[in-house]
Amino acid sequence: MASVFVASALAFGSVGCSSTTATTDAATTDSTATTTAPATNGDNTMAMDNTSGKNLAENATAVPQMSTLTAALKASGLADKATSGGPYTVFAPTNEAFDALPAGTLDNLLKPENKANLASILTYHVVPGNVMAADLKDGQELTTVDGKKLKVSVAGTTVTVNGATVVKADVKSSNGVTHVINKVLLPQ
């Protein structure tokens, strides 16, 4: 399940994503993703053409701004799980989101001895089912694949999940949907 999240995140993250609002419903179904991220356009926005025929992991891998997420997926041992199952909704942090973590945090998480902790963080970004932006409501709680809670806030056209802003919503894959976010979500 965590691999699905990582794959989705990778598929849709980008440094220069335009600000979009997402709303999602917490439907639950099973799915996993593979990472293949789309390329960016000249204006630093993600090129997300024709993503629905690819799985979450394939879409994530195609996006250069999701390379950190892809590396984390591999280090956590979840990479193989990202290619099947679903559907899943992944809140995928960009490279910039990982860069904003305190100095040394990411390097520490990528160490083999921290594999379980990294997997826990990654699965915290994954919700069972296809939760589209239009389904998200202010104050809504979503349950992750590990049973933890995420809180949705909607203000106008801006959607946040545990304080992370959705910068690209509704990136469809064959086994789920990805919403790119600007912050790494840390379980509490």
Side-chain angles (χ1 to χ4, degrees), residues 30-169:
D30 293 320
S31 92
T32 50
T34 326
T35 51
T36 327
T40 60
N41 297 323
D43 63 356
N44 272 340
T45 61
M46 285 185 287
M48 302 305 295
D49 300 332
N50 198 18
T51 61
S52 61
K54 298 176 184 170
N55 62 40
L56 291 166
E58 291 169 333
N59 280 326
T61 300
V63 177
Q65 294 84 356
M66 301 309 275
S67 62
T68 302
L69 180 58
T70 302
L73 181 59
K74 290 177 185 176
S76 70
L78 298 172
D80 290 341
K81 294 180 181 178
T83 60
S84 62
Y88 291 107
T89 298
V90 176
F91 293 96
T94 63
N95 288 354
E96 284 183 340
F98 280 101
D99 291 345
L101 291 171
T105 301
L106 181 60
D107 290 337
N108 192 43
L109 285 170
L110 294 173
K111 292 179 180 176
E113 61 268 23
N114 293 322
K115 185 176 183 177
N117 191 26
L118 178 59
S120 176
I121 290 169
L122 295 175
T123 56
Y124 190 57
H125 292 78
V126 182
V127 174
N130 281 319
V131 181
M132 304 303 290
D135 301 324
L136 294 171
K137 308 293 180 232
D138 189 47
Q140 180 179 10
E141 283 192 344
L142 303 174
T143 303
T144 69
V145 294
D146 284 345
K148 297 179 178 117
K149 300 292 183 184
L150 298 173
K151 176 113 182 204
V152 175
S153 296
V154 179
T157 60
T158 302
V159 173
T160 60
V161 177
N162 282 22
T165 301
V166 175
V167 296
K168 175 78 176 171

Side-chain angles (χ1 to χ4, degrees), residues 161-178:
V161 177
N162 282 22
T165 301
V166 175
V167 296
K168 175 78 176 171
D170 296 337
V171 180
K172 296 178 184 175
S173 296
S174 62
N175 61 335
V177 62
T178 298

